[in-house]
């Protein structure tokens, strides 16, 4: 048989292609050097509780990429060992967990190396212990459990369960698909943020403990919420009316705000000042609110004290006793008698500069509720008549030892002005003494002088028998 030149060239070309394909098959696909001589490979042993269907030549993946194969699976005295042949070009951390998974429902197990943190890379001869491995549940056990679960359902009700399940999820394919996809993405994100998820789980114990410890409070809150919801349900018409008319009310409020907008800023500024005062006096306001309900209760109790008695009336039993000059009137610290204006004057001049108040010692029994005993809200424990004295290091000093005038009424032994002037203020010029006038008792002739003392004018009072109306018309006989 004679071969032509073309046939020879075809045979040579076919042999070359066969040789190249065989070489690629041998070195790239079969990876004969690694399989026969272990070139570019290293071996790691994995301890497993059971084989779970793992077989030789199964794939080994790391972070989703294939990095080796399972060379052998054999029994040991404590379980099963799988020898993994891994690619030397891929560094794999030694802090890794070996997980056996199935690609499909019928098997096709493979080993997934799941990193747990940074560590030195694996090397030839390393062993991944049982504590760092996991295997899928036994399919036979799963089928048996499913069979036992179905057996627990009465046969006559099984159709009902299937029908109800279809009613529950029938036609919800897209929604279930989105739920499964979302759950998958959630699991992937949780895996990427595993440290944060673990920290969240570990640190959630104090929160759960607090919820457990406050279980009674939570139940009370839920009961109160249910009560409020019930009241809202009973008052549905009123609530609907509020919602229906609320828009009109809001429009009216907006129109009101627009009308008062020129002065609203001034009002808000004043409210800010008032709020600052309220914050300063917050303890006093709180004390007032605490004492007000008992005071109202006492007043209500006093009002009904006469019920179910012989008199059977509603009212308060009061006993008025007239006490004159008990305790005496405090004049110390006010204008001297010569500078005091007569109460008969009807003009209203500016008040003198400075502070006028009873300037006796703070422990004096006179005018105990006077300005000298005002508590300083910003300085606990201190009492002073003015805010400036409260917020300074100045202490209260009584005038003239607090009791009597000594010498010139415009000069004091303590060196203080009358009235007490702030630092740097000039005293006002003394006003001209007005014409004194005072009301008197026509029966006794007693009247109160500008200095606060009682005087008697004898010729002002009528003496003798009471006059008749005839005596007022006709002069009495001499």
């Amino acid at each position: 048989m004679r071969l032509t030149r073309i046939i020879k060239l075809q045979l040579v070309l076919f042999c070359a292609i066969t040789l190249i394909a065989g070489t690629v098959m041998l070195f790239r696909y079969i990876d004969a050097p690694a399989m026969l001589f272990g070139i570019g490979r290293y071996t790691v042993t994995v301890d497993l509780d059971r084989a779970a269907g793992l077989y030789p030549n199964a794939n080994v993946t790391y972070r989703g990429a294939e990095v080796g194969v399972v060379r052998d699976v054999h029994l040991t005295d404590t379980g099963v060992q799988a020898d993994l042949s891994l690619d030397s070009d891929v560094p794999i951390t030694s802090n890794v967990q070996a997980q056996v998974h199935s690609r499909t429902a019928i098997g096709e197990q493979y080993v997934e190396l799941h990193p747990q943190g940074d560590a030195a890379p694996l090397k030839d001869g390393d062993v991944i212990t049982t504590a760092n491995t996991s295997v899928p549940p036994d399919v036979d056990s799963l089928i048996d459990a499913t069979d036992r679960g179905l057996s627990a359902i009465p046969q006559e009700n099984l159709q009902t369960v299937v029908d109800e399940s279809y009613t529950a999820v029938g036609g919800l394919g897209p929604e279930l698909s989105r739920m499964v996809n979302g759950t998958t993405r959630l699991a992937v994100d949780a895996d990427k943020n595993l440290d944060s998820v673990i920290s969240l789980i570990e640190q959630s114990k104090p929160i759960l403990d607090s919820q457990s410890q406050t279980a009674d409070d939570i139940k009370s809150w839920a009961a109160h919420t249910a009560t409020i919801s019930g009241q809202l349900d009973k008052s549905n018409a009123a609530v609907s009316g509020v919602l229906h008319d609320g828009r009109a009310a809001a429009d009216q409020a907006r129109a009101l705000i627009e009308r008062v907008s020129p002065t609203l800023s001034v009002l808000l500024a004043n409210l800010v000042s008032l709020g600052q005062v309220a914050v300063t006096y917050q303890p006093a306001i709180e004390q007032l609110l605490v004492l007000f309900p008992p005071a109202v209760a006492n007043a209500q109790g006093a009002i009904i004290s006469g019920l179910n008695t012989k008199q059977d009336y509603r009212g308060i039993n009061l006993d008025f006793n007239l006490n004159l000059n008990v305790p005496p009137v405090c004049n110390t610290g006010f204008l001297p008698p010569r500078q005091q204006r007569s109460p008969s004057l009807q003009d209203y001049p500016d008040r003198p500069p400075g502070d006028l108040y009873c300037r006796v010692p703070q422990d004096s029994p006179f005018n105990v509720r006077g300005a000298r005993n005002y508590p300083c809200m910003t300085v606990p424990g201190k009492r002073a008549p003015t805010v400036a004295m409260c917020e300074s290091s100045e202490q209260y000093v009584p005038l003239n030892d607090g009791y009597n005038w000594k010498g010139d009424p415009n000069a004091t032994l303590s060196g203080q002005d009358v009235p007490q002037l702030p630092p740097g203020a000039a005293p006002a010029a003394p006003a001209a003494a007005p014409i004194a006038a005072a009301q008197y008792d026509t029966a006794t002739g007693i009247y109160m002088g500008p200095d606060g003392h009682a005087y008697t004018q004898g010729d002002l009072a009528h003496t003798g028998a009471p006059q008749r109306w005839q005596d007022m018309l006709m002069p009495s006989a001499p």
Side-chain angles (χ1 to χ4, degrees):
M1 179 177 180
R2 183 183 179 190
L3 299 177
T4 63
R5 181 180 179 85
I6 295 176
I7 294 176
K8 291 181 180 179
L9 290 176
Q10 290 176 343
L11 291 175
V12 172
L13 183 60
F14 177 76
C15 292
I17 292 174
T18 303
L19 181 61
I20 293 173
T23 303
V24 171
M25 180 79 67
L26 185 65
F27 288 94
R28 296 290 298 176
Y29 183 75
I30 300 178
D31 198 9
M35 180 182 297
L36 299 177
F37 308 106
I39 298 175
R41 295 276 179 170
Y42 65 96
T43 303
V44 173
T45 303
V46 177
D47 292 334
L48 302 171
D49 292 332
R50 53 188 177 84
L54 191 64
Y55 54 90
N57 296 326
N59 292 330
V60 179
T61 62
Y62 178 70
R63 299 184 185 274
E66 185 176 341
V67 295
V69 295
V70 178
R71 285 302 179 196
D72 189 18
V73 179
H74 53 274
L75 293 172
T76 64
D77 296 335
T78 58
V80 176
Q81 278 189 344
D83 297 332
L84 309 183
S85 178
L86 305 179
D87 189 354
S88 301
D89 295 336
V90 180
I92 302 174
T93 176
S94 59
N95 186 11
V96 70
Q97 185 179 25
Q99 303 174 353
V100 179
H101 297 286
S102 297
R103 293 188 182 276
T104 63
I106 62 175
E108 299 185 37
Q109 278 75 7
Y110 70 98
V111 178
E112 166 68 19
L113 298 179
H114 194 279
Q116 303 297 308
D118 296 333
L122 286 172
K123 58 183 181 299
D124 187 59
D126 284 349
V127 177
I128 301 176
T129 61
T130 308
N132 293 321
T133 60
S134 64
V135 295
D138 187 9
V139 177
D140 294 336
S141 301
L142 181 61
I143 294 176
D144 291 340
T146 304
D147 181 68
R148 288 193 301 272
L150 294 176
S151 299
I153 302 175
Q155 296 299 318
E156 61 274 10
N157 295 334
L158 183 58
Q159 183 177 358
T160 303
V161 173
V162 175
D163 293 341
E164 293 297 331
S165 299
Y166 174 77
T167 303
V169 299
L172 299 178
E175 287 76 9
L176 293 176
S177 177
R178 285 196 298 270
M179 184 177 69
V180 172
N181 294 334
T183 305
T184 303
R185 288 194 297 270
L186 179 62
V188 172
D189 293 339
D191 181 66
K192 294 180 180 178
N193 301 274
L194 184 62
D195 295 338
S196 301
V197 174
I198 294 175
S199 300
L200 176 62
I201 295 174
E202 292 177 348
Q203 296 175 4
S204 62
K205 184 179 183 301
I207 299 177
L208 298 178
D209 291 341
S210 65
Q211 298 298 311
S212 176
Q213 295 170 0
T214 58
D216 296 337
D217 297 334
I218 295 176
K219 291 179 181 179
S220 300
W221 176 81
H224 296 161
T225 303
T227 302
I228 295 174
S229 301
Q231 293 294 333
L232 292 176
D233 181 63
K234 294 179 180 179
S235 306
N236 181 56
V239 175
S240 300
V242 171
L243 296 178
H244 181 269
D245 300 333
R247 180 176 180 181
D251 293 339
Q252 293 292 333
R254 179 177 55 81
L256 175 62
I257 293 175
E258 291 178 353
R259 288 197 300 269
V260 300
S261 57
T263 58
L264 183 61
S265 59
V266 178
L267 173 62
L268 294 179
N270 294 336
L271 290 178
V272 170
S273 301
L274 181 62
Q276 293 174 351
V277 174
V279 170
T280 302
Y281 285 87
Q282 182 267 336
I285 297 175
E286 181 179 355
Q287 183 69 8
L288 177 63
L289 295 178
V290 170
L291 297 178
F292 184 72
V296 173
N298 292 335
Q300 292 175 341
I303 292 174
I304 63 175
S305 61
L307 291 180
N308 301 324
T309 62
K310 291 182 179 181
Q311 293 78 14
D312 193 15
Y313 69 95
R314 292 175 179 266
I316 301 177
N317 294 323
L318 297 177
D319 185 10
F320 292 97
N321 292 323
L322 184 60
N323 295 322
L324 297 177
N325 290 331
V326 180
V329 177
C330 177
N331 291 319
T332 302
F334 297 94
L335 290 176
R338 296 180 181 178
Q339 299 182 16
Q340 294 179 3
R341 299 177 68 255
S342 172
S344 62
L345 299 179
Q346 298 180 359
D347 58 342
Y348 44 94
D350 296 335
R351 65 182 302 274
D355 299 310
L356 294 170
Y357 57 92
C358 181
R359 291 162 65 182
V360 297
Q362 290 180 321
D363 57 354
S364 172
F366 304 140
N367 196 17
V368 294
R369 296 183 180 88
R372 71 183 188 279
N373 284 327
Y374 286 167
C376 298
M377 305 307 298
T378 57
V379 184
K382 183 178 180 181
R383 294 178 179 269
T386 62
V387 176
M389 187 179 295
C390 278
E391 296 180 350
S392 66
S393 59
E394 181 183 1
Q395 298 296 326
Y396 172 77
V397 178
L399 178 65
N400 266 343
D401 296 336
Y403 294 102
N404 301 308
W405 292 104
K406 297 179 181 179
D408 184 357
N410 292 322
T412 63
L413 297 180
S414 61
Q416 303 178 54
D417 296 321
V418 181
Q420 187 175 12
L421 299 174
I435 300 176
Q439 295 181 351
Y440 66 95
D441 188 347
T442 58
T444 61
I446 297 175
Y447 66 93
M448 187 67 65
D451 57 355
H453 296 284
Y455 296 91
T456 302
Q457 186 70 25
D459 58 355
L460 297 178
H462 175 75
T463 58
Q467 292 182 341
R468 300 172 301 169
W469 67 271
Q470 293 89 348
D471 297 334
M472 298 178 63
L473 297 178
M474 299 176 60
S476 58

